[in-house]
C-alpha cells in the first residue's frame, strides 16, 4: 500500500514537472494574448465597479464580487510579464523588463490598493469610491510608465 | 472665475486662520499653465529634472526636439524677456531675436490664446524658480536644419491671432473649443501631419500613426467606427478626469501624463466643455489603430 502511494506521488510529481516544462515553453504570443485577456477582464470589473459606485446602475450587491475579483487579478501582475514575453504584439514597454524593480513596485502598489478596495467595498459608497479612485490612479500610474498608448 | 475669486477673498477676510483661508482661489496663470500642459514638454520628468528647466527628448518623424529652459534664469531661461517677447513667442512663433521657432513648440495653437490669458501665463512663469541649466539643442536631419525654411512652413500653415468666439454657438461650446484648440492644443498630436509637418486638411483631430515617440494617436472625432462616436459625453468627462475608458481600461504613456498634468486638474465645467466640443466635431472616418496580427506562425489548425 505504502509503496503504491509512493509510486503515485512520483507519477504526480513527474506530471507536475511536465506541466512546468510545458509552461516554460509557451509561445510568447500565447502569453501575450493570455495577459491581454486577463487585463481586459481587469478593466471590465473596473468599469462595472465604477458604474455601480457612480450610481449609474443599481447592482450594489455585486460590488463585493467585482472588488474581490480585482483583488485576485491584481495579486500578482508581474507574473503575467515573464521574461521573453516582450517581443510580439504587445504594448508593454521595455521598462517592464529593463526596470523590473520599478515595475514591481508599481504592481505592489496596485495590489495594495486593490486590497484596500475590497475592505471598503462593503461599507458606505463614498468611502468605497475613494478607494476605487486610488486603485484607478494606480492603474494609470503603471500604464503611464510601462505601457505604450499604441504601437 | 471672478466670482470664485471674490468668494475666496471674502472667505479669507472673514475666516482668516480657519480652513477657508487655507484654500486660496487658484491663480489664473497657474490654472492656464496646467491646462496648457507647459510642464509636459519643458520639464524632464522622466529623468527627474528641475521644473521647466528643459524637457526630455520628443522624437518625431522630422527630428528630435528638446523644449528649452523657460524658468526666469537670465542666462539660460527667459529671465531677460519682456512681456512683449513672450507674446511674440507664443503668438507669432518668433524668439526675441526674431528667429522662427520650430512648430514642435505648439504656437500654431497657442497663438489662439487671448491677450488676458497670455498675460496671466507670463506672470505665472515669471514667478517660478530660476534654474541655471542650458537648454539642449534639437537633433535634426540636415534638410530641416535651416530655420529660414520655417517662414515657408508658416506661410503654408500658420495664421496668427487670438481665438474668436463663434456667436452662433453657446458659451459651453466656445469654452470647449478654446480649451481644446488653443490651450490644450489637442490637435498638435491628434491631427496627422503631411510630409512638411503641417496639419493635414480634412483630418482635424482624426488621429495618426506617426505620433511623438512612435506612438499611435487615436482619432478623437465622433466617428462611430474609428473615433469616439460611441462614447457618451459622461464617458469622455470620466476619461479626462480619471483616465478610465468606457471598457475600464486606463490611459497610459503620453495621454496618462496629459490627464495627470492637465485635464484632471480642470474644473468639471471645463472638462464638460471639452467633451461637448469634441462630440460636435465633424466625424472623420480615419483608422489609425494597428490591424491585429494573425496567430503564431508554423502551427496547424489545432494549435500544435
Amino acid at each position: 500500500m505504502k509503496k503504491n502511494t509512493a509510486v503515485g506521488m512520483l507519477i504526480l510529481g513527474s506530471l507536475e514537472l511536465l506541466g512546468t516544462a510545458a509552461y516554460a515553453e509557451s509561445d510568447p504570443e500565447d502569453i501575450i494574448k493570455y495577459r491581454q485577456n486577463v487585463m481586459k477582464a481587469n478593466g471590465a470589473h473596473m468599469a462595472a465597479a465604477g458604474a455601480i459606485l457612480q450610481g449609474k446602475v443599481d447592482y450594489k450587491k455585486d460590488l463585493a464580487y467585482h472588488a474581490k475579483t480585482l483583488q485576485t487579478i491584481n495579486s500578482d501582475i508581474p507574473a503575467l510579464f515573464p521574461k521573453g514575453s516582450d517581443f510580439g504584439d504587445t504594448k508593454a514597454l521595455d521598462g517592464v523588463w529593463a526596470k523590473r524593480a520599478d515595475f514591481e513596485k508599481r504592481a505592489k502598489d496596485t495590489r495594495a490598493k486593490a486590497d484596500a478596495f475590497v475592505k471598503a467595498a462593503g461599507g458606505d459608497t463614498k468611502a468605497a469610491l475613494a478607494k476605487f479612485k486610488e486603485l484607478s490612479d494606480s492603474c494609470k500610474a503603471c500604464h503611464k510608465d510601462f505601457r505604450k498608448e499604441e504601437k | 472665475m471672478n466670482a470664485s475669486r471674490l468668494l475666496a477673498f471674502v472667505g479669507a477676510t472673514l475666516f482668516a486662520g480657519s480652513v477657508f483661508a487655507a484654500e486660496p482661489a487658484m491663480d489664473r496663470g497657474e490654472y492656464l499653465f496646467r491646462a496648457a500642459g507647459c510642464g509636459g514638454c519643458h520639464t524632464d520628468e522622466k529623468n527627474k529634472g528641475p521644473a521647466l528647466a528643459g524637457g526630455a527628448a520628443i522624437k518625431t518623424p522630422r527630428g528630435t526636439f528638446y523644449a528649452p529652459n523657460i524658468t526666469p534664469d537670465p542666462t539660460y531661461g527667459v529671465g531677460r524677456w519682456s512681456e512683449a517677447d513672450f507674446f511674440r513667442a507664443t503668438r507669432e512663433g518668433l524668439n526675441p531675436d526674431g528667429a522662427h521657432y520650430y512648430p514642435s513648440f505648439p504656437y500654431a495653437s497657442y497663438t489662439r490664446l487671448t491677450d488676458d490669458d497670455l498675460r496671466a501665463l507670463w506672470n505665472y512663469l515669471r514667478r517660478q524658480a530660476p534654474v541655471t541649466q542650458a537648454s539642449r539643442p534639437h537633433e535634426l536631419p540636415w534638410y530641416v536644419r535651416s530655420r529660414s525654411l520655417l517662414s515657408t512652413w508658416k506661410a503654408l500653415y500658420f495664421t496668427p491671432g487670438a481665438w474668436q468666439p463663434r456667436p452662433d454657438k453657446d458659451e459651453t461650446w466656445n469654452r470647449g473649443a478654446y480649451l481644446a484648440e488653443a490651450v490644450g492644443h489637442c490637435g498638435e498630436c491628434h491631427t496627422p501631419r503631411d510630409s512638411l509637418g503641417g496639419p493635414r486638411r480634412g483630418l482635424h483631430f482624426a488621429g495618426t500613426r506617426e505620433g511623438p515617440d512612435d506612438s499611435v494617436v487615436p482619432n478623437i472625432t465622433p466617428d462611430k467606427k474609428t473615433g469616439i462616436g460611441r462614447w457618451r459625453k459622461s464617458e469622455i468627462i470620466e476619461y479626462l478626469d480619471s483616465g478610465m475608458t468606457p471598457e475600464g481600461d486606463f490611459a497610459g504613456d503620453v495621454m496618462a501624463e496629459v490627464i495627470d498634468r492637465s485635464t484632471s486638474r480642470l474644473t468639471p465645467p471645463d472638462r464638460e466643455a471639452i467633451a461637448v466640443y469634441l462630440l460636435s466635431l465633424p466625424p472623420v472616418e480615419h483608422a489609425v489603430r494597428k490591424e491585429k496580427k494573425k496567430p503564431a506562425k508554423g502551427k496547424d489548425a489545432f494549435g500544435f
Side-chain angles (χ1 to χ4, degrees):
Chain A
M1 201 54 146
K2 265 198 173 151
K3 202 179 164 190
N4 279 350
T5 314
V7 170
M9 294 285 273
L10 212 75
I11 291 170
L12 272 176
S14 322
L15 278 174
E16 210 167 359
L17 270 176
L18 268 174
T20 315
Y23 172 74
E25 282 166 22
S26 299
D27 187 324
E29 291 285 357
D30 287 333
I31 300 175
I32 290 168
K33 194 74 219 167
Y34 176 78
R35 102 172 145 236
Q36 285 170 348
N37 283 326
V38 174
M39 281 300 199
K40 259 183 218 159
N42 210 3
H45 286 285
M46 284 300 283
I52 295 168
L53 287 168
Q54 290 168 355
K56 285 183 180 167
V57 292
D58 187 17
Y59 290 99
K60 189 84 209 286
K61 63 175 175 49
D62 291 340
L63 186 63
Y65 141 69
H66 293 301
K68 193 87 193 118
T69 311
L70 286 164
Q71 183 186 39
T72 307
I73 294 177
N74 290 289
S75 62
D76 192 3
I77 292 292
L80 294 171
F81 296 85
K83 268 186 194 153
S85 65
D86 56 337
F87 194 74
D89 195 7
T90 175
K91 292 192 269 183
L93 287 169
D94 295 340
V96 168
W97 295 275
K99 295 181 178 171
R100 193 67 178 186
D102 293 346
F103 176 63
E104 284 180 357
K105 213 167 106 188
R106 284 269 185 242
K108 210 174 143 189
D109 179 70
T110 305
R111 177 187 173 152
K113 297 288 154 59
D115 290 347
F117 179 48
V118 167
K119 289 203 187 92
D124 75 284
T125 307
K126 216 178 142 193
L129 187 60
K131 293 297 169 198
F132 177 78
K133 282 203 185 300
E134 283 180 23
L135 177 56
S136 298
D137 283 344
S138 188
C139 297
K140 174 155 58 69
C142 194
H143 284 187
K144 180 162 125 179
D145 292 344
F146 295 107
R147 191 183 72 169
K148 192 94 194 145
E149 192 69 341
E150 279 280 327
K151 78 175 179 183
Chain B
M1 187 59 96
N2 283 337
S4 65
R5 270 198 184 174
L6 185 66
L7 269 177
F9 174 69
V10 171
T13 315
L14 291 180
F15 304 100
S18 79
V19 285
F20 287 89
E23 287 181 353
M26 196 194 286
D27 173 86
R28 181 177 186 167
E30 184 180 359
Y31 186 80
L32 283 162
F33 172 83
R34 288 180 180 179
C38 311
C41 287
H42 289 281
T43 302
D44 185 357
E45 206 167 69
K46 270 181 210 157
N47 300 305
K48 303 198 167 63
L52 302 179
I58 305 165
K59 278 186 222 142
T60 81
R62 279 159 290 276
T64 299
F65 295 89
Y66 296 90
N69 183 337
I70 53 166
T71 71
D73 183 84
T75 312
Y76 297 111
V78 295
R80 286 181 207 274
W81 285 32
S82 65
E83 188 181 273
D85 287 333
F86 180 71
F87 266 63
R88 210 146 69 117
T90 42
R91 177 110 348 120
E92 297 171 48
L94 293 170
N95 75 14
D97 299 330
H100 299 295
Y101 285 118
Y102 284 96
S104 51
F105 171 41
Y107 56 83
S109 300
Y110 290 165
T111 190
R112 303 272 173 263
L113 286 161
T114 62
D115 284 4
D116 281 354
D117 283 352
L118 282 179
R119 210 165 286 127
L121 259 178
W122 175 239
N123 284 330
Y124 177 77
L125 276 184
R126 274 175 45 193
R127 294 200 307 274
Q128 303 313 300
V131 180
T132 307
Q133 176 177 298
S135 305
R136 287 186 70 170
H138 304 319
E139 291 153 15
L140 305 173
W142 61 269
Y143 52 88
V144 289
R145 256 178 234 158
S146 164
R147 283 187 186 246
S148 59
L149 284 173
L150 292 167
S151 59
T152 313
W153 188 91
K154 280 180 168 174
L156 285 169
Y157 306 110
F158 178 57
T159 327
W163 170 258
Q164 299 300 324
R166 290 249 314 254
D168 57 319
K169 302 280 190 181
D170 68 13
E171 209 177 304
T172 304
W173 186 93
N174 272 297
R175 178 69 181 162
Y178 180 66
L179 285 167
E181 300 286 353
V183 187
H185 59 281
C186 311
E188 298 287 343
C189 288
H190 285 279
T191 301
R193 293 173 189 268
D194 60 20
S195 54
L196 296 176
R200 282 175 61 189
R201 272 168 210 276
L203 291 174
H204 193 59
F205 283 24
T208 173
R209 299 176 57 91
E210 290 188 339
D213 299 328
D214 302 320
S215 55
V216 175
V217 186
N219 180 344
I220 52 169
T221 72
D223 179 56
K224 283 209 160 54
K225 221 168 100 191
T226 58
I228 55 168
R230 290 181 189 283
W231 290 42
R232 290 156 67 202
K233 188 175 85 177
S234 64
E235 291 168 337
I236 300 175
I237 296 170
E238 174 69 42
Y239 182 74
L240 295 174
D241 185 12
S242 72
M244 186 166 81
T245 72
E247 289 78 38
D249 190 5
F250 281 86
D253 206 8
V254 183
M255 195 57 204
E257 261 175 56
V258 172
I259 291 164
D260 283 349
R261 192 182 292 281
S262 302
T263 59
S264 68
R265 296 170 179 227
L266 295 172
T267 62
D270 274 355
R271 268 193 294 275
E272 181 177 1
I274 295 175
V276 165
Y277 176 68
L278 290 180
L279 289 174
S280 81
L281 290 170
V284 182
E285 188 176 337
H286 185 237
V288 289
R289 292 185 190 275
K290 192 166 72 174
E291 296 292 317
K292 283 283 166 234
K293 266 195 282 178
K294 293 271 174 284
K297 51 276 151 194
K299 285 186 171 184
D300 65 21
F302 300 100
F304 293 107

